[in-house]
Amino acid sequence: MHTFSEENYLRAIYRLSLDAKAKISPTSIAEELNNNPASVVDMLKKLTDKKLISYDKKKGAKLTDKGTKTAIEVVRKHRLWEVFLLEKLGYGWEEIHDIAEQLEHIHNDELADRLDKFLGFPDYDPHGDPIPKANGKIATTYKTMLLEVEPGNSCQVAAVKDTSVAFLHYLEKLGVGIGTRIKIVEKIAFDGSMVIQVGKADKINVSKKFGESILVG
Amino acid sequence: MHTFSEENYLRAIYRLSLDAKAKISPTSIAEELNNNPASVVDMLKKLTDKKLISYDKKKGAKLTDKGTKTAIEVVRKHRLWEVFLLEKLGYGWEEIHDIAEQLEHIHNDELADRLDKFLGFPDYDPHGDPIPKANGKIATTYKTMLLEVEPGNSCQVAAVKDTSVAFLHYLEKLGVGIGTRIKIVEKIAFDGSMVIQVGKADKINVSKKFGESILVG
DNA sequence: ATAATTTATTAGGCATGCCTAATTTTTTAT
DNA sequence: ATAAAAAATTAGGCATGCCTAATAAATTAT
Ligand SMILES: [Mn+2]
Ligand SMILES: [Mn+2]
Ligand SMILES: [Mn+2]
Ligand SMILES: [Mn+2]
């Protein structure tokens, strides 16, 4: 079995690999895990020895098939537990991520599948991210950033790219959740911020960072 | 927050403290945790520094109030998760202990209480052990060992003192679970074994160890 | 009381996973 | 092309938690 730390690295590398193009460097992994590039280099050696990744200074880190399988299993458990925490235990969507970071490391062969069944085979987690299926397949979701929607158009929130408490609390305050309709009123060229309208509420200005953190479908 | 290892030591010391009389020595803790007395001595120092226990070669290890509180919280989570795994996820009663050993270390202030509520405030876990309440109170259960019941009498299984897969599988095979009625037919003085009858099944002989591992009410 | 045995403790070590500080390599700017 | 900056790596260290082997202390048996 893999350690918590190894699983966290695999998940980090997996997440980074979704952003495509960008090479997965020690620095980028360190940023993702809030640790030090020197520590990352240590761990990349271990993961390479265990054939969970390949690493090449030029090409960066890449999950092997074995590594991908493990990473997806961890993500699957993470997202299923998030559904459990929200739907069954009644936690708020800003609280669940931290607890799921712990629960994703519980090891038992049948656990993910039993949990999946118990929850009614949910397709998405509470942040709008697709839950990998038992066979490892993940619904490929082609989503656009809120930032890319043209003024005058409306859209519906499909997922959040940031699961920090600060961001989710802010969304809560604005009345924004998965499925919420948002109308883009205007874009401010100066700083990339945008004026939006959530449902029938007053128009508000949100930052570029905000626009990049919401995916719409 | 405490580490997994610290919590495991506290739980071990707590368990040993229930057997009363016996002094809690490094050797007994090492046995409980399947590790080495030398390792235990190391950890007893750490736990003493953190004021979770007191340790004295003469008197052995003793949980402080703070240590007791933590130990009981861990036990509470352990037993609640066992109920969850059995009742909600459909695991067998021999599978749940190992998974609960992992789940008991998930940290979140509200977790135990939310889980408790979700499960309908169960009083006992699937092995018949009382689940500590939110205030730390534990139903004191005065139970007798099956071994102590006199021939001719019947009794009802209240709890199992051993949660090993081997024992629980054996019980499964004999059709014995919590609540099962057992009639004591005869006691064999030679080796302390006993002849019992489970429900209307054939009479069988079970060992002294068996008789010591079942509590009846 | 003395010897044998068991228990507790110390000493030294190892693996994991992190760190800082130095050094080397690579990239970017001038 | 050279200098400056950034990124990667190495070296050395530290905390945790475990181990074995050696030693000291306490029990038990003779
Ligand atoms: Mn999450
Ligand atoms: Mn999520
Ligand atoms: Mn248990
Ligand atoms: Mn139990």
Side-chain angles (χ1 to χ4, degrees), chain A residues 25-27 38 41 45 55 57:
Chain A
S25 61
T27 311
V41 172
K45 280 194 200 89
Y55 176 61
K57 195 190 294 203

Side-chain angles (χ1 to χ4, degrees), chain A residues 25-71:
Chain A
S25 61
T27 311
S28 63
I29 296 172
E31 220 159 86
E32 182 79 17
L33 293 172
N34 288 309
N35 70 0
N36 194 293
S39 311
V40 174
V41 172
D42 282 352
M43 183 59 95
L44 291 183
K45 280 194 200 89
K46 280 180 220 159
L47 295 175
T48 303
D49 289 347
K50 293 197 174 188
K51 309 229 190 284
L52 292 163
I53 64 162
S54 64
Y55 176 61
D56 180 296
K57 195 190 294 203
K58 298 282 175 190
K59 298 181 178 174
K62 267 201 157 47
L63 294 170
T64 60
D65 286 353
K66 192 178 159 202
T68 303
K69 186 160 171 285
T70 305

Side-chain angles (χ1 to χ4, degrees), chain B residues 13-25 28 58-62 143 145 148 161:
Chain B
I13 295 168
Y14 177 77
R15 278 203 64 183
L16 291 169
S17 76
L18 296 182
D19 279 332
K21 41 197 165 289
K23 192 180 77 172
I24 301 173
S25 61
S28 63
K58 299 280 174 191
K59 299 182 178 175
K62 268 201 156 47
K143 289 168 189 155
M145 286 190 289
E148 296 165 340
K161 283 181 75 179

Side-chain angles (χ1 to χ4, degrees), chain B residues 24-193:
Chain B
I24 301 173
S25 61
T27 311
S28 63
I29 297 172
E31 222 159 83
E32 182 79 18
L33 293 173
N34 289 308
N35 70 1
N36 194 293
S39 310
V40 173
V41 173
D42 282 352
M43 183 60 95
L44 291 183
K45 281 196 199 86
K46 278 179 223 161
L47 294 175
T48 303
D49 289 348
K50 294 197 173 190
K51 310 229 191 281
L52 291 164
I53 65 163
S54 64
Y55 176 61
D56 179 293
K57 194 190 294 202
K58 299 280 174 191
K59 299 182 178 175
K62 268 201 156 47
L63 293 170
T64 60
D65 287 353
K66 192 178 160 201
T68 303
K69 187 162 172 283
T70 305
I72 289 178
E73 279 167 5
V74 173
V75 169
R76 174 166 154 82
K77 281 190 282 180
H78 181 103
R79 294 181 180 165
L80 286 170
W81 279 118
E82 282 188 344
V83 173
F84 170 74
L85 292 168
L86 189 106
E87 293 193 355
K88 304 297 182 181
L89 298 195
Y91 278 101
W93 78 336
E94 79 286 356
E95 304 176 280
I96 60 180
H97 182 79
D98 286 348
I99 312 175
E101 292 256 345
Q102 303 172 61
L103 286 165
E104 70 190 3
H105 304 295
I106 302 294
H107 291 298
N108 179 269
D109 283 347
E110 300 167 37
L111 186 54
D113 292 349
R114 283 184 183 268
L115 195 56
D116 195 16
K117 184 179 174 192
F118 174 63
L119 297 171
F121 305 104
D123 292 319
Y124 295 92
D125 84 1
H127 307 108
D129 293 312
I131 297 174
K133 294 296 169 188
N135 60 13
K137 290 271 182 296
I138 307 173
T140 34
T141 48
Y142 303 98
K143 289 168 189 155
T144 343
M145 286 190 289
L146 177 65
L147 194 72
E148 296 165 340
V149 182
E150 292 307 317
N153 293 320
S154 268
C155 57
Q156 211 171 356
V157 175
V160 290
K161 283 181 75 179
D162 180 334
T163 57
S164 69
V165 173
F167 181 56
L168 298 179
H169 261 148
Y170 182 34
L171 289 182
E172 200 88 2
K173 203 173 102 186
L174 299 179
V176 173
I178 304 296
T180 302
R181 283 210 85 76
I182 294 180
K183 182 173 177 186
I184 287 72
V185 179
E186 186 189 354
K187 283 189 182 180
I188 313 296
F190 164 61
D191 58 3
S193 69

Side-chain angles (χ1 to χ4, degrees), chain A residues 12 24 51 60 66-67 75 79 104 112 116 123 132 176 182 188 201 207:
Chain A
I24 300 173
K51 309 229 190 284
K66 192 178 159 202
V75 168
R79 294 183 181 165
E104 71 189 3
D116 196 16
D123 291 320
V176 173
I182 294 179
I188 313 296
S207 70

